[in-house]
Every structure is written in C-alpha cells, then in structure tokens.
Amino acid sequence: MTRHLDLDALATLAAVVDMGGFTAAAGRLGRTQSAVSAKIAALEAELGHRLIERGRAGAIATPAGTELLGYARQLLQIEDEARLALGGESLGGRVRLGIPDDYVEPFGSLLLRRFMTTHPKVQLDVRCEISQRLERDLAQGAIDVAVITRDPERPTGELLRYEPLVWCAPPDHRPELVDPLPLAVFSEGCRFRNVVLGALETSGRPWRIAYVSSSLQGVLSAVSTGFALTCVAESSVPGGWRRLGAAEGLPDMPAAEIGLVVRPDAGVASRTLASAIRATLARLDRAA
C-alpha cells in the first residue's frame, strides 16, 4: 500500500456516490465512464477494499467506501483551503444552493447567516424547491449544492441525518377526530407526501386531501386554522403544537433521510458551503 492517497481518485469516489452512478459522474467530471471505473478500481486495489456496490438503486458506497468518503471530503476541503491560503485571497465567487423550504427554518437560516458573515465576498444564491426538482437542477448544472430529502429507493448524495416525520395539529383543534381524516399536504412530487399517503393506505385509515401547498408555510397556515392536520419533519413542527400518533389512530412514520449533494466539479466556495452545512447540523445535533 502506498503512503499517499490519490486526491483525484478520492474526488472521483465522491462524484460517483453523489451522482448515484458511474455514467452520471463521468458526465459531470468530463471523463469517460471507463476512465471513472478504472479510477475506482485502482483505488479499491490499492486499499484492498471494495468501495462501491452496483445495484438496482445505482452506485452505493460500501461500509468501507462510506468510511473513506468521510476522510476524502475532509482532504479535498483541506486542499481547497491550502490553495486559497497560498493565493492570499479571501473566499469569493458564486455559490447556488438548493434547499426545500421546510429545512430553511430549522437550520438553513442559521447556516446562511454564519456563512455570509464568515465569507462576505461570496455571492450566495438560494433556491427553495422540492427535492426531486433540486436533484434535476443539480444534474443540469443549475445549482452547485443541494440539501435534499433522499429517495429511499434510490438514495443519492451524502447522508447528513435522519429526520423523524411527525403528525401534528395546533393545541386548540382536533382534526384527527374527523372522518375521513382531512390532510394538508405538499404538492405532487414531494417525497414526504408519498410516504404519508402510503402509510395511511397501509393502516386502512380513511383520508382525504383537504389542502395542498408547495410551501411549508402554506401547509402550516392551513393546519393552524383547524382545517386539517399534517405530517412534517419534526424540526418543522411549530412550538406548542400537539404531536399525534397511535393514540389518535395514526400510523407510525419512518424517518426521512436528509442528504447533501455537491457538484463533483464544484469550486472552493461550494465545497466550503458544504462543509458549513455539515458543521451546522452536527452543532444542532449536539445541542439537542
């Protein structure tokens, strides 16, 4: 085994995992698929571990690959910081961040405030959209970094945390007593929506969609009137609201996976923002 890791190979590994496949990573890196495969194979041979598994869900990191990927991202970030420091300039440029609006309030506002204070020369553009559209925008090069709800059947990007999904309603209304159950849900394409409706179908609880909105604020506003109830990420539940569950005849909900996806050819500013996202969530988890 050599004493030094090939940073280009590590960047290729990150690209394959983040893009969910060799073909997509090759397109993003501007290389052939065979060149990307050869780079990963050489890295696996050097380390003596299989790093990527190919399956129906795409290219997924093995346990060894996941462990290496954490170090890889740190090393790539350090390389960026070293180049920046030797250049004698503060961090600048433009970064386009995509994030669902239901993640902005829990941690996005804190992240953006700290990042812009630390790096005032960076032009940060933020696009709030559902995860499915953010993944499309990332693939098309319209954004550089995305925080998403990962598709459990085809997970892409880096897993940041598991976020519990919670049934909720305001303290002075009882929409859970209404039959069929009135729901306030996100628009078509939202991954929370599919999980919620699927769980209700499995449980046999009658339901109807009473309100649809593309934004978290729209959904919560409808629920606040007593018009319906909803199921959202736990960190998005307003203070003082009731959390509902089996006692109210509602099914248990799985946790959602919050992921981070970075364009493989992203610049220093984008990688620095990605590191800030990881640090912000880690800080909030420790404070919880």
Side-chain angles (χ1 to χ4, degrees):
M1 182 185 299
T2 62
R3 288 179 52 83
H4 306 289
L5 290 168
D6 180 351
L7 290 180
D8 186 53
L10 296 180
T12 302
L13 173 67
V16 171
V17 174
D18 289 346
M19 300 304 294
F22 286 77
T23 302
R28 185 56 62 201
L29 293 172
R31 299 175 181 172
T32 64
Q33 181 178 345
S34 60
V36 170
S37 296
K39 202 73 170 177
I40 297 299
L43 185 61
E44 290 177 329
E46 176 189 342
L47 298 177
H49 290 281
R50 189 166 184 80
L51 304 174
I52 297 290
E53 290 287 356
R54 295 176 173 88
R56 294 180 62 184
I60 301 175
T62 65
T66 299
E67 184 171 4
L68 176 62
L69 193 58
Y71 292 110
R73 296 189 194 280
Q74 294 179 49
L75 290 171
L76 292 168
Q77 178 64 29
I78 290 171
E79 180 192 31
D80 287 340
E81 292 172 355
R83 290 181 182 277
L84 187 66
L86 291 174
E89 300 179 356
S90 59
L91 187 66
R94 179 189 182 199
V95 181
R96 298 164 299 174
L97 169 67
I99 182 171
D101 74 336
D102 42 330
Y103 294 156
V104 173
E105 181 59 32
F107 66 87
S109 55
L110 173 64
L111 160 73
L112 299 179
R113 184 169 61 251
R114 287 182 172 174
F115 183 81
M116 294 309 301
T117 299
T118 306
H119 306 290
K121 292 186 178 181
V122 174
Q123 178 185 330
L124 182 60
D125 301 336
V126 182
R127 177 180 301 184
C128 289
E129 266 290 4
I130 62 175
S131 299
Q132 191 176 70
R133 292 175 188 158
L134 292 178
E135 289 179 352
R136 178 202 62 197
D137 291 344
L138 195 80
Q140 294 176 348
I143 56 177
D144 306 300
V145 182
V147 177
I148 61 169
T149 301
R150 302 208 305 177
D151 182 348
E153 296 184 359
R154 188 179 176 83
T156 59
E158 170 189 354
L159 177 62
L160 292 176
R161 71 189 300 188
Y162 290 99
E163 179 76 14
L165 297 181
V166 178
W167 296 100
C168 61
D172 50 349
H173 296 287
R174 296 291 185 275
E176 70 273 15
L177 300 180
V178 179
D179 188 34
L181 191 71
L183 299 175
V185 298
F186 290 100
S187 304
E188 289 279 359
C190 172
R191 287 173 181 153
F192 282 3
R193 172 181 171 135
N194 294 338
V195 172
V196 168
L197 299 185
L200 286 171
E201 285 290 344
T202 301
S203 72
R205 177 77 186 263
W207 55 272
R208 69 179 183 90
I209 294 178
Y211 186 90
V212 177
S213 176
S214 60
S215 72
L216 173 68
Q217 190 55 51
V219 168
L220 295 182
S221 293
V223 175
S224 69
T225 67
F227 183 63
L229 56 73
T230 192
C231 183
V232 296
E234 185 175 43
S235 57
S236 300
V237 178
W241 278 30
R242 296 181 300 121
R243 286 164 167 75
L244 313 176
E248 291 78 23
L250 296 169
D252 292 335
M253 299 299 297
E257 296 184 0
I258 299 182
L260 173 67
V261 189
V262 184
R263 282 169 55 95
D265 57 350
V268 179
S270 296
R271 289 185 179 177
T272 301
L273 175 62
S275 293
I277 291 170
R278 298 184 192 101
T280 298
L281 281 174
R283 190 179 301 113
L284 291 175
D285 287 340
R286 288 195 297 270

